[in-house]
Amino acid sequence: MMMISKLFAVNTKLGGRQRLTMSVFSFVLPLLVWSLVSYVPFIWHPKVEIHSAGDVSYFKQGLLIDREIFDREVETAISESKSVPEGKPANPVYLPAPHEVATALYTAFTTEPKRRSEKWLHESLWDSIQVIFWGFVISSLFGVPLGILAGTYDVFAKLFEPFIEFFRYLPAPAFGALAVAVLGIYDAPKIAIIFIGTFFQQVLVVSNTTRKLDPALLEAAMTLGAKKLTLLFRVVVPGIITHLYKDLRLLLGWAWTYLIVAELIGTSSGITWFITQQARYKNFDNVFAAIIIIGIIGLTTDLVLAAIGRKIFPWEKGLAKA
Amino acid sequence: MDQLKLPSYLEQSDAVRDRFERMKKRPVTLQVKNLNKEFDTPQGKVTALKNINFETYKREFVCVIGPSGCGKSTLIRILAGLETQSSGEVLLDGEAVSGPGPDRGMVFQGYTLFPWLSVKDNVMFGLEMSGHSKAASEEQAFQWIDLVGLGKFKNAYPHQLSGGMKQRVAIARALANQPRILLMDEPFGALDAQTRAKMQSYLHEIWKNIDITILFITHDLDEAVFLADRVLVLKANPGEVQEVIEVPVPHPRSPDQILQPEFLATRKRLEELIHPPEADTGINEDHLNMVRMVRVDNEVESVF
């Protein structure tokens, strides 16, 4: 009882051990639900996998059939005293079991592409990472400076922000056809979609972060003789850099969410091509594996960036406390 | 305190009178002439400061005190150049000032150290702004850090320091620019009583040892009497100079003087100016509407 009331105390941090347990649970719980649905025959399992067809003409071994149809055929077989078909409950082909996906996580990398012109999974992934990288870098190259300017000087805020506020409601994929017309069918239009999806949010997020800088720091710097550009580069930029870094990590995740749409534009490529291709072959274990790989890449990148952040901003720890 | 027979705060010993006479012969560092400040608010124009006139002499320690809303923070922000006056002049060594600048150092109540810079780099900031080379700024910064006794912490970040230490860094940072006047806006207001007393003594030591004029805002009467040569008393609505008090407590100051008659007399005068007796104001808004809310059979019938 004591334990429970402690766990749910408001505004209190858990101990290191409990936090780790909870973090493990956050992955274990969805996995558990997935396993239950996959391995416990009476949960869901709307299909039947045929073992022996009996006398039903259209049943074949290995066929997945709706349970209702199977039950009906069994009844008919019994009433007409024919050989009864056998089978076991199964899930639809689009929900592979965890162990199948786990195997696919490995085999997807080792399976040779079906055609010579097609790419291995790691090559597709590398294409996707490059599209994300360039889309995000180009967006940041413009978005971060504009955001800082808008956050620091009201004149830029009023000049940029109203239009950007308007533009950010336009869905990036809507520009797909236009991007292809202007930039061709290869990587350029995909990078453009990532850019459009990220840039406008980025300017607003960065300007908002910049505005949160404690104005007393600027005043202190002015009384110490800092002026204009030195204020910008020696106070504003270092003053917001830790928050800016966090924003960029968040926005990088945002960029990934535009990836699938972006890669469908022009010639389908990268991880999206892999996913659609595997779905076409009904290799849904590979589809799930690919989706999970995206998640793993995203989470790993973020953890690595967070670790780098702690290294290069040694004062950040104190800010978090304050 | 009423039963104590206190001398008048205007009475000065010969040594003190002599010191004030010599002080007033020194050059004037800061002169404020007919300073007015009005704010536009949705309720109309509000006069924050009205016709402020005063001067500080070289190496003088002046405290500004007043009830809340008397515009003392507005005054110091105008002097620092962080706000502009509606009319009037601020002269530093005879020259009119406008906008913030390194000739007027400022220490804020909220520390305002740069959290991304170490103690050393914080102190170097102003020196680098005024065009000193990195090596020269570093050398000077070390001197100032030593002066405030933080040599061991020169590579620490602000978040690793206590409030008192942070404020010492802020003082070192402001002094490193060698300003002609140091403006301090309730710098010890956020510190606990013990640290505050210690900081007051430190500040006095620093002030004695370097060429600096200090204008210090506070709402703490004891702090004002302990630190100041003269106390500028403001009154509220509108902010006007009510009186300039020459503190008759002799130098060097020590915390023991707090019970001396001169100290108590000055403190009493400040008290009268800042918290005038109720009868004078006519209305008593602050009175509690007390009804006894303890049961008659309460275990403790009366706290007396």
Side-chain angles (χ1 to χ4, degrees), chain A residues 210-223:
Chain A
T210 310
R211 253 176 236 125
K212 281 192 208 141
L213 179 72
D214 182 2
L217 291 180
L218 290 169
E219 292 185 343
M222 286 192 280
T223 64

Side-chain angles (χ1 to χ4, degrees), chain A residues 160-232:
Chain A
F160 301 150
E161 284 183 359
F163 178 74
I164 291 174
E165 283 282 4
F166 155 76
F167 208 103
R168 81 186 169 109
Y169 285 100
L170 310 183
F175 293 87
L178 190 64
V180 170
V182 178
L183 297 164
I185 56 168
Y186 298 107
D187 279 353
K190 306 176 204 305
I191 294 174
I193 295 304
I194 306 267
F195 175 88
I196 294 172
T198 315
F199 174 78
F200 299 97
Q201 311 289 345
Q202 196 170 29
V203 174
L204 295 178
V205 168
V206 173
S207 71
N208 207 28
T209 296
T210 310
R211 253 176 236 125
K212 281 192 208 141
L213 179 72
D214 182 2
L217 291 180
L218 290 169
E219 292 185 343
M222 286 192 280
T223 64
L224 292 166
K227 292 206 165 68
K228 294 176 182 149
L229 281 185
T230 28
L231 269 179
L232 187 62

